[in-house]
């Protein structure tokens, strides 16, 4: 069974996701877009990564606003 998980509007984080899943990359074919991992595990890794990145971005944004005042 193959499963496709999509995270709309999060394409800018693709490099981070690929880095986090690099050891699970599928060995089939030449494509680097596929990973051999249970869907629930992949979604958990991606979700955790997205939360961490978005938290960093929010913190940086808050610091920027603080510096502007």
């Amino acid at each position: 069974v193959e499963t496709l998980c999509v995270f709309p509007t999060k394409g800018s984080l693709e490099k981070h996701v690929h880095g986090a899943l690099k050891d699970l990359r599928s060995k089939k074919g030449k494509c680097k877009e596929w990973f051999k991992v249970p869907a629930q595990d992949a979604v958990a890794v991606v979700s955790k990564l997205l939360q961490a990145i978005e938290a960093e971005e929010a913190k940086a944004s808050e610091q920027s606003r603080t510096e502007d005042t």
Side-chain angles (χ1 to χ4, degrees), residues 5-18:
C5 297
V6 179
F7 294 83
T9 72
K10 302 300 180 188
S12 63
L13 304 177
E14 184 176 11
K15 279 186 176 181
H16 298 286
V17 171
H18 281 221

Side-chain angles (χ1 to χ4, degrees), residues 7-42:
F7 294 83
T9 72
K10 302 300 180 188
S12 63
L13 304 177
E14 184 176 11
K15 279 186 176 181
H16 298 286
V17 171
H18 281 221
L21 295 174
K22 69 181 177 190
D23 294 337
L24 302 170
R25 198 175 301 280
S26 175
K27 306 291 188 245
K28 288 184 178 182
K30 296 179 182 179
C31 185
K32 295 184 177 186
E33 293 293 319
W34 301 103
F35 301 88
K36 187 170 182 161
V37 57
Q40 64 194 27
D41 294 349

Side-chain angles (χ1 to χ4, degrees), residues 54-69:
E54 289 176 345
E56 284 180 26
E57 290 173 349
K59 184 177 178 182
S61 178
E62 180 63 30
Q63 287 176 342
S64 177
R65 277 185 265 158
T66 302
E67 291 171 1
D68 290 343
T69 56

